[in-house]
Amino acid sequence: MSSESDVQKFPDDFEWGVSTAAYQIEGAVHEDGRGRSIWDVFSHAPGNVARGDNGDVACDHYHRFPEDVALLRDLGVGAYRFSVAWPRIQPEGRGPAEQRGLDFYGRLVDELLDAGVEPWLTLYHWDLPQALEERGGWRNRDTARRFADYAALVHEALGDRVTRWTTLNEPFCSAFLGMATGEHAPGVREGHGALAAAHHLMVGHGLAVQAMRAQRRGEERFGITLNLSDVRPASADPADRSAAERLDLLHNRVFTDPILGGVWPASEREVWSDISDFGFRQADDLALIRQPLDFLGVNFYCPAYAKFAPTADPDPGHRSAAEIDVEYAVPPELPRTAMGWPVEPEGLSRLLCRLDEEYRELPPIYITENGAAYRDEIDATGAVSDPERIAFIAAHLTAVRTAMEKGVDVRGYFCWSLLDNFEWAYGYAKRFGLVYVDYEDLRRIPKASYYWYRDMMRAQGPS
């Protein structure tokens, strides 16, 4: 098992943190004026989530946040990345703010600051107000405008205390897992609609950054978090190489090319012209989407190996945007996590170096999520040993350090996640936390990885 001394030295000002998301931990879905989100609706529909789980209670962070902040303080992280639930602020996705929702996040921010932990606030981690979905959701450009209004409300209330602002978390999942594969809320399989959603998410990002910068009052920094994949062909076969290019488009370039490069992806019309005319775009959208960023958040869990696999019985013009004649092929020699995801830390180094090579004026990068699910259990002594997670984190930190030594400007690392939580379509069956949550009584039990991460940060010295 890796020890904290195995991790290379990082710069003294390197930021160490952990991450969570509102719907995954908060619970209290019917309290203090909170409206319904698409995940409330999706998780309560039979067959969508493993074992019929939902986020109604989750980790009950809404009531137990002082206990969770105490865990952060004792862990010794310098920063905590959390998300705001849009339906707590605007139950219908529009109109004036629900003050009780703003007050909750104000109390959380104050508790964090009192504990010496910097709050990193994410505005959107997938919990779109259901009322907006019923008006078209992210297919509709008006949702991007509503998102900017919401961002301005939250920023106006908390911008005096929160300096790090992230607009979107993982728009790939919102657009394509939610609206092309149907694995996530709202649970549909669309072609043009999913591509329109991806575009309007980026438009919403641009509008939100503009709105918050217009009312900036101090040291606020603005960015976005993308979950990016190191995409590789499963073999040297030209068909697999072509498949990898299409998967790279879907996973990465749809977002990185406009946001970081100010261009539309070169191959998009070849891949999707039969299902979309891209009529959702307007003349000045590229300039709007490519707002100057103070940082880029990168979420990384595993590489993606692409194999050519023709879509069975394609229905021209009606296929989903994710049906691109590709399947995932995990090399058999790679170990896997409890999610079935391959473990290859070198993929993170390759990804970071590629970003640095391909995009000029790349902003400073923060690894805003990295972690793994394993089969954690409480032993006879009441402890939770998770050596595989420790090894996973240590190896990926080595990968980050390798990229930094090659010149990539990485400024921080956030482990996913502080707590075991509602893992979306997997419900409570998968555990990513540094802290074990007993879902019967909601006890928090720090795992061995929690203490390893604490000791590793201490060994690093000043932060």
Side-chain angles (χ1 to χ4, degrees):
M1 183 176 72
S2 298
S3 70
E4 63 277 0
S5 61
D6 293 334
V7 176
Q8 292 175 273
K9 183 72 170 68
F10 282 76
D12 287 348
D13 59 355
F14 194 80
E15 192 109 43
W16 298 99
V18 291
S19 297
T20 64
Y23 189 72
Q24 293 182 269
I25 66 169
E26 284 182 1
V29 298
H30 303 298
E31 294 190 35
D32 292 339
R34 180 188 179 277
R36 290 192 308 162
S37 78
I38 56 174
W39 270 96
D40 294 304
V41 174
F42 182 81
S43 65
H44 279 271
N48 284 339
V49 176
R51 306 180 304 187
D53 292 341
N54 59 64
D56 289 4
V57 176
C59 304
D60 196 31
H61 174 77
Y62 192 79
H63 300 112
R64 298 169 184 253
F65 74 88
E67 177 184 358
D68 295 335
V69 174
L71 286 166
L72 292 166
R73 181 193 64 228
D74 295 344
L75 180 59
V77 291
Y80 172 56
R81 179 174 170 262
F82 66 96
S83 75
V84 171
W86 188 349
R88 287 202 191 280
I89 309 305
Q90 292 178 305
E92 299 296 312
R94 60 180 64 211
E98 166 56 69
Q99 191 60 46
R100 290 172 293 180
L102 290 175
D103 288 346
F104 165 70
Y105 293 108
R107 292 192 299 273
L108 172 61
V109 166
D110 289 344
E111 192 88 8
L112 289 166
L113 294 172
D114 287 346
V117 178
E118 182 177 9
W120 280 57
L121 188 152
T122 297
L123 286 161
Y124 188 72
H125 200 129
W126 310 352
D127 41 8
L128 182 72
Q130 176 63 20
L132 291 183
E133 175 61 25
E134 292 169 2
R135 297 184 180 96
W138 288 109
R139 307 170 192 81
N140 185 345
R141 193 179 185 93
D142 187 62
T143 298
R145 302 185 187 99
R146 301 286 73 75
F147 178 66
D149 292 344
Y150 153 69
L153 288 173
V154 180
H155 180 263
E156 179 63 30
L158 300 177
D160 60 333
R161 287 161 285 170
V162 176
T163 60
R164 302 301 182 103
W165 292 81
T166 301
T167 53
L168 307 175
N169 178 79
E170 301 187 354
F172 164 82
C173 295
S174 299
F176 295 119
L177 297 189
M179 300 184 63
T181 70
E183 299 168 65
H184 284 187
V188 297
R189 296 172 57 85
E190 300 181 7
H192 178 83
L195 295 170
H199 180 74
H200 292 139
L201 281 156
M202 291 188 286
V203 170
H205 154 74
L207 291 172
V209 170
Q210 286 183 336
M212 292 188 291
R213 278 212 170 103
Q215 57 188 29
R216 189 178 190 171
R217 70 196 79 174
E219 297 300 317
E220 298 100 312
R221 298 290 182 266
F222 304 104
I224 188 172
T225 284
L226 305 176
N227 58 313
L228 301 175
S229 295
D230 172 48
V231 178
R232 307 179 72 75
S235 76
D237 188 319
D240 288 349
R241 292 183 180 276
S242 179
E245 291 174 0
R246 293 192 298 277
L247 194 62
D248 183 46
L249 169 69
L250 180 72
H251 272 262
N252 300 323
R253 292 194 179 279
V254 165
F255 302 102
T256 57
D257 280 1
I259 292 170
L260 303 176
V263 297
W264 304 124
S267 62
E268 62 179 6
R269 292 189 182 271
E270 177 185 350
V271 173
W272 287 310
S273 61
D274 62 325
I275 58 174
S276 180
D277 62 1
F278 297 88
F280 40 74
R281 290 180 179 162
Q282 296 184 6
D284 296 329
D285 280 354
L286 268 180
L288 175 61
I289 289 168
R290 199 191 182 191
Q291 293 296 306
L293 297 177
D294 298 307
F295 63 90
L296 171 67
V298 171
N299 292 356
F300 179 87
Y301 290 93
C302 62
Y305 284 83
K307 182 177 179 57
F308 174 59
T311 303
D313 299 320
D315 183 3
H318 294 89
R319 64 185 173 92
S320 98
E323 292 177 296
I324 53 174
D325 293 344
V326 179
E327 69 178 14
Y328 298 91
V330 178
E333 68 274 13
L334 292 180
R336 301 195 191 199
T337 69
M339 297 289 285
W341 297 344
V343 179
E344 189 179 14
E346 296 80 8
L348 177 54
S349 298
R350 292 192 297 259
L351 171 67
L352 293 171
C353 290
R354 172 184 160 180
L355 288 171
D356 189 59
E357 291 166 2
E358 291 197 359
Y359 297 105
R360 299 176 62 185
E361 301 177 11
L362 188 69
I365 292 173
Y366 292 82
I367 307 303
T368 38
E369 288 183 25
N370 178 244
Y374 290 106
R375 294 181 60 84
D376 304 322
E377 296 179 349
I378 305 172
D379 66 22
T381 69
V384 180
S385 177
D386 56 342
E388 291 174 305
R389 180 172 292 105
I390 292 170
F392 181 99
I393 297 171
H396 283 79
L397 286 174
T398 296
V400 172
R401 199 71 188 92
T402 297
M404 293 171 69
E405 290 168 355
K406 293 180 178 180
V408 185
D409 186 8
V410 184
R411 304 277 184 93
Y413 175 93
F414 290 71
C415 182
W416 182 270
S417 173
L418 174 65
L419 303 170
D420 290 339
N421 53 48
F422 177 81
E423 185 48 41
W424 308 112
Y426 293 92
Y428 298 101
K430 307 297 182 183
R431 295 180 177 272
F432 278 85
L434 298 177
V435 176
Y436 184 97
V437 177
D438 185 327
Y439 295 116
E440 294 297 320
D441 58 16
L442 297 175
R443 283 182 301 149
R444 275 77 159 139
I445 304 170
K447 303 175 189 178
S449 57
Y450 173 97
Y451 297 110
W452 177 89
Y453 196 52
R454 178 197 65 186
D455 294 344
M456 182 277 298
M457 288 184 287
R458 289 177 178 174
Q460 288 287 323
S463 62

